[in-house]
Amino acid sequence: MKITQIISHVLQYDLDEELGYSQQYYAKRTAHLVEVRTDVGITGWGECFGGGGVAFANKTIVEHVIQPMILGMDPLDRDVIWHKVYNLLRDHGQKGMPIQSLSGVDIALWDIAGKFLNQPVYKLLGGAFRDRIPAYGYGMMLQKFPNLEERFTEESQRIKEMGFTAMKMKIGLSPERDVKLVEAVRKGIGSDMRLMVDANHAYTAREAIPLGRELQNLGVYWFEEPVAPEDHQGYRDLCEALDMSIAGGEAEFTRWGFRDLIKNRCVDLLQPEVCALGGITEYQKVLAMAHAHFVPVINHVWGSAIAVGTNLHLLAALPDLPGAAHPVQPMLEYDTTPNLFREQLLQESLNINEQVKNNNGTVALPQGPGLGIEPDLDFIKHYEVSI
């Protein structure tokens, strides 16, 4: 079996309302899918992390840089392919867009392997430790409304009514405004529901520590990306100063990038993003390092149904840490804001919302070969855009 073609599909549409996080607001929803074709008729699908202009840059890297390197290679040689691409790109980018691009290709190779062997990806990873994955609802994105607190209260109530047993919200406007937003969400969901906050590295450690103390008093479960991903000392300071869990890792890449983050205990919860850090092949190496240091892993998930499906396999194959009769289960991060690329992309929907509502907040594993999901090519054609 040989790789014959790699195609990038950048999909995009206009949102009804702008959504934002601490760094920016955006008016378009973007997804970057990677299609890898073979000479035996098997096609694999993957996804690259990064929206907006990043997706178009990654498309160029996938098609004009990575594709010529691996055409004609056996797609089952995933580790060989990964190291060839990484080594040839090492002088041009050990992090960021080159690795995001490699991630989408690598995920597609795992999809091909599962289809070739007629096994779901979680079987190729060693089997499932659980057949249902708890999911938490991600919402309360920042918006340009003066009554944002009221909107957050209403949105959090809706997410709770959808059946999620935990949820995450955006913060990062200012420490004072953040506290008011979290209070508004607590008003909507009560004091018992697990709540997480994501600052998208809006603060310095000196700003984030007193904010974290306020968040602790509001029962926040974890404080995500409080400081810049490069600020390892800031992360360590937060871990030492606060009793709540500090989470991060979505903006880190490859085993080398995660090495010091893990070794130095910069986070209490590690959040690898498989569509960015180097794909499933590299995710497995990062996971091994995290578990060797007893750092729990709860994947970061952001993107289309391809990203969601990929993470269901990874979370199923994630060992319990440290291992117990009743261990804390990893959770699937599920964005509840409107997203056609999550809801309508597949020939057969994952039906996450329905599953959560009817199965105590949990989601079943895809059971078909490979990722067990297939995109609708007509849908892709309709929403695909070019540079």
Side-chain angles (χ1 to χ4, degrees):
M1 182 164 56
K2 295 181 180 180
I3 297 170
T4 58
Q5 189 178 15
I6 302 177
I7 307 170
S8 275
H9 303 278
V10 176
L11 314 182
Q12 196 169 79
Y13 71 91
D14 294 330
L15 293 170
D16 292 334
E17 294 180 339
E18 282 190 322
L19 297 174
Y21 56 103
S22 67
Q23 304 300 323
Q24 67 171 336
Y25 293 86
Y26 55 93
K28 295 180 182 291
R29 179 77 72 178
T30 308
H32 178 194
L33 310 183
V34 176
E35 177 185 4
V36 177
R37 296 179 180 178
T38 69
D39 62 347
V40 297
I42 298 176
T43 296
W45 290 89
E47 181 165 355
C48 302
F49 184 72
V54 171
F56 294 103
N58 286 343
K59 174 182 172 68
T60 298
I61 296 171
V62 168
E63 293 189 342
H64 297 285
V65 180
I66 296 178
Q67 178 176 221
M69 295 179 183
I70 65 175
L71 283 179
M73 294 185 70
D74 186 338
L76 299 183
D77 292 341
R78 297 182 298 280
D79 214 43
V80 174
I81 289 171
W82 196 97
H83 281 88
K84 178 179 182 179
V85 173
Y86 182 81
N87 289 339
L88 291 174
L89 289 178
R90 178 180 259 131
D91 292 344
H92 311 288
Q94 300 153 27
K95 297 177 182 287
M97 289 185 286
I99 308 303
Q100 291 172 346
S101 302
L102 175 56
S103 300
V105 174
D106 180 80
I107 293 168
L109 298 181
W110 279 85
D111 190 28
I112 289 171
K115 290 171 178 175
F116 182 78
L117 298 169
N118 197 32
Q119 293 290 330
V121 164
Y122 71 78
K123 285 287 189 182
L124 304 187
L125 295 171
F129 287 88
R130 53 199 63 82
D131 57 9
R132 298 200 70 88
I133 310 298
Y136 71 84
Y138 181 20
M140 286 74 71
M141 300 284 289
L142 301 181
Q143 293 179 280
K144 298 176 182 178
F145 295 104
N147 62 336
L148 193 58
E149 287 82 358
E150 181 180 338
R151 282 174 169 260
F152 273 23
T153 297
E154 295 172 353
E155 186 176 357
S156 64
Q157 289 172 332
R158 288 197 298 271
I159 294 173
K160 184 175 182 178
E161 291 168 359
M162 291 169 70
F164 292 97
T165 57
M167 70 178 66
K168 187 169 76 178
M169 61 180 288
K170 290 295 190 188
I171 60 171
L173 291 177
S174 72
E176 297 77 19
R177 186 76 187 279
D178 289 349
V179 171
K180 292 179 181 179
L181 291 173
V182 176
E183 288 174 341
V185 171
R186 274 292 177 215
K187 177 182 176 182
I189 65 176
S191 60
D192 296 332
M193 190 170 184
R194 184 174 288 181
L195 174 63
M196 295 80 79
V197 303
D198 183 2
N200 291 108
H201 48 82
Y203 298 116
T204 65
R206 185 172 293 278
E207 294 169 321
I209 288 172
L211 171 58
R213 294 193 179 110
E214 296 280 354
L215 299 177
Q216 283 180 179
N217 293 334
L218 291 167
V220 170
Y221 180 56
W222 79 55
F223 190 178
E224 182 172 330
E225 281 207 308
V227 297
E230 303 95 329
D231 185 9
H232 286 191
Q233 183 61 54
Y235 267 109
R236 287 194 294 269
D237 290 346
L238 279 151
C239 287
E240 292 171 1
L242 301 176
D243 293 330
M244 69 194 311
S245 291
I246 302 302
E250 74 173 84
E252 196 50 87
F253 302 87
T254 76
R255 75 200 80 164
W256 299 284
F258 278 91
R259 177 182 55 201
D260 292 339
L261 192 69
I262 294 170
K263 180 179 68 176
N264 294 325
R265 293 282 184 166
C266 293
V267 294
D268 301 301
L269 289 170
L270 192 68
Q271 297 174 300
E273 168 55 70
V274 69
C275 297
L277 66 83
I280 297 174
T281 298
E282 194 67 359
Y283 171 93
Q284 289 297 96
K285 297 174 174 64
V286 170
L287 177 63
M289 281 197 296
H291 276 221
H293 289 81
F294 290 92
V295 178
V297 171
I298 298 181
N299 297 351
H300 179 270
V301 185
W302 178 262
S304 79
I306 301 292
V308 174
T310 300
N311 277 278
L312 285 173
H313 289 274
L314 298 179
L315 292 168
L318 186 65
D320 297 331
L321 184 74
H326 305 286
V328 175
Q329 295 295 309
M331 297 183 289
L332 171 72
E333 178 176 6
Y334 189 74
D335 172 27
T336 61
T337 61
N339 187 344
L340 297 181
F341 304 145
R342 186 189 62 241
E343 298 156 3
Q344 299 180 25
L345 172 66
L346 302 181
Q347 294 178 18
E348 294 185 17
S349 173
L350 290 168
N351 292 319
I352 301 293
N353 290 337
E354 181 180 340
Q355 290 196 61
V356 166
K357 184 70 173 179
N358 298 325
N359 294 280
N360 299 315
T362 66
V363 182
L365 307 182
Q367 293 299 325
L371 295 177
I373 52 180
E374 288 294 328
D376 182 330
L377 298 182
D378 289 334
F379 179 91
I380 289 176
K381 184 178 180 180
H382 181 75
Y383 286 100
E384 188 164 10
V385 292
S386 58
I387 298 176

